[in-house]
Amino acid sequence: MKLVSFQVRTPVGTFTRIGALHNASIVDLNMAQARRLTDQGETQPRRLADAQVPATMLEFLEGGPAATDAARRAFDYAVGHGSSIAGPAGETIFYDPASVRLTAPLPNPSSLRDFIAFEEHIAATSKRRGQPIPPEWYKAPVYYKGNHRTIIGPDHELRWPLNTQKLDYELELACVIGRKGIDIAERDAVNYIAGYTIMNDFSARDIQFQEMACRLGPAKGKDFATAIGPCIVTPDDIQDLASLRMIARINGEVWSEGRFGSIHWSFSQMIEHVSRGEFLYPGDLFGSGTVGGGCGLELDRYLKPGDVVELEILPIGILRTTIAAQN
């Protein structure tokens, strides 16, 4: 499934709900489950649907594999009955994407960890500083903790941050944790991944390098925004992670191309490392770090006000961000 979060405006307010993409429509999974339970004769289908397939992504992920299985059954049920099917009281199940607003698929991750897992990228950035790759990089996957409160979604406008003169994009794949666990072995780690999405770890390079000269960070140089989306693709819908092509376009011009298979540290190794003596939780977000050649820093090219940044990884889609005018 391709899972999304979308906002619906109603006379009593705007609500964010979880859906799944189907052709040119979005299926409201919570409402589809309510209709399925109604047709099975349940006396309280809405209450049961809220427990089995919660209406928001973080609550859904906290439901673990059982929620995913129920959502898949609800999705198949709705699709099998066609787009005219409605909820127990006539509520909408199939939405035209033009009638709603897609948000980040996981608007409020439990935490954000971003790794530097591609050897080509750390080699290039180390070379720019006149240094070799630190030998410690080969001992364990390293990461920083980002600001999980500044997540933005697809087709979002990014306000120019912090008067930076070197605003940069970073082309990354991210995995979303779907189960709680500790001391997870690498061989079991794949079972803790709920799905994959595209990540753009926006960076103000001049500010980042100034603060990291003090041997801490990054902080302000990255914490202003991280974009993810447009959807979370469940693992069963990605046959071969290694074969995924990663492309970055600025105003339609290809700046970066890479392949996920060039990664040195796998998501399974990241999960094993992070979970040593530490719990992982549903909704934790792991960024792969930048694919080789996947940022302006490596190219000595930076973003400008008005630029349109598109990161593409199929079958996930395109994550598009417009850079707003500088204040």
Side-chain angles (χ1 to χ4, degrees):
M1 291 187 295
K2 292 184 175 182
L3 302 172
V4 297
S5 292
F6 63 100
Q7 289 183 335
V8 181
R9 289 186 177 182
T10 76
V12 293
T14 299
F15 298 90
T16 301
R17 299 185 60 81
I18 182 176
L21 300 179
H22 173 68
N23 296 333
S25 299
I26 298 172
V27 177
D28 185 313
L29 294 173
N30 170 264
M31 197 58 67
Q33 178 70 348
R35 173 57 190 268
R36 176 174 173 268
L37 293 170
T38 298
D39 292 349
Q40 290 180 344
E42 291 288 347
T43 57
Q44 294 186 323
R46 290 294 303 276
R47 179 177 295 183
L48 190 55
D50 287 345
Q52 294 177 341
V53 185
T56 62
M57 188 66 75
L58 183 56
E59 291 177 303
F60 171 76
L61 292 169
E62 289 171 344
T68 301
D69 291 343
R72 194 178 306 280
R73 289 193 295 270
F75 176 80
D76 291 342
Y77 189 83
V79 170
H81 283 74
S83 59
S84 61
I85 191 174
E91 301 94 340
T92 301
I93 291 179
F94 281 82
Y95 285 89
D96 179 349
S99 70
V100 299
R101 180 178 182 269
L102 285 184
T103 70
L106 178 57
N108 54 339
S110 304
S111 67
L112 169 60
R113 295 175 177 87
D114 200 7
F115 291 75
I116 183 166
F118 288 89
E119 186 175 25
E120 184 180 347
H121 174 65
I122 193 171
T125 55
S126 297
K127 183 178 180 180
R128 288 184 64 85
R129 294 191 294 269
Q131 300 171 350
I133 298 175
E136 290 80 9
W137 184 82
Y138 293 98
K139 296 179 180 178
V142 295
Y143 61 94
Y144 79 94
K145 289 184 176 180
N147 187 350
H148 64 293
R149 302 292 187 184
T150 55
I151 299 294
I152 61 175
D155 296 306
H156 187 105
E157 185 176 76
L158 173 63
R159 184 177 64 178
W160 192 269
L162 305 171
N163 293 317
T164 179
Q165 300 302 306
K166 291 187 176 181
L167 180 61
D168 202 359
Y169 69 94
E170 298 199 41
L171 174 56
E172 306 188 23
L173 184 70
C175 79
V176 179
I177 301 301
R179 295 170 56 188
K180 181 179 178 181
I182 190 171
D183 295 325
I184 302 163
E186 179 184 345
R187 64 180 179 275
D188 300 323
V190 68
N191 298 319
Y192 287 78
I193 298 175
Y196 302 93
T197 191
I198 304 170
M199 176 185 285
N200 193 337
D201 175 34
F202 283 104
S203 303
R205 295 299 190 186
D206 43 2
I207 296 168
Q208 174 193 353
F209 292 144
Q210 178 181 337
E211 61 192 0
M212 291 184 71
C214 300
R215 304 295 190 268
L216 282 177
K220 297 297 290 183
K222 287 178 177 284
D223 281 356
F224 55 88
T226 300
I228 62 171
C231 62
I232 296 170
V233 178
T234 52
D236 55 299
D237 276 359
I238 298 181
Q239 299 301 316
D240 181 13
L241 273 181
S243 68
L244 297 184
R245 292 183 63 232
M246 306 171 70
I247 303 170
R249 299 183 186 91
I250 313 300
N251 302 323
E253 177 189 355
V254 174
W255 282 25
S256 305
E257 290 187 84
R259 188 174 58 85
F260 186 73
S262 63
I263 200 165
H264 180 85
W265 294 104
S266 69
F267 280 127
S268 290
Q269 290 170 319
M270 297 176 201
I271 290 170
E272 179 182 59
H273 175 65
V274 174
S275 71
R276 285 192 299 117
E278 179 181 352
F279 275 104
L280 299 186
Y281 294 91
D284 287 352
L285 187 64
F286 282 23
S288 66
T290 307
V291 69
C295 65
L297 175 64
E298 294 188 48
L299 310 172
D300 199 24
R301 301 178 73 179
Y302 295 97
L303 301 175
K304 303 183 300 298
D307 282 349
V308 177
V309 183
E310 293 181 317
L311 305 188
E312 178 179 337
I313 305 176
L314 298 179
I316 302 171
I318 296 175
L319 174 61
R320 184 180 299 105
T321 308
T322 300
I323 309 302
Q326 197 166 356
N327 292 333

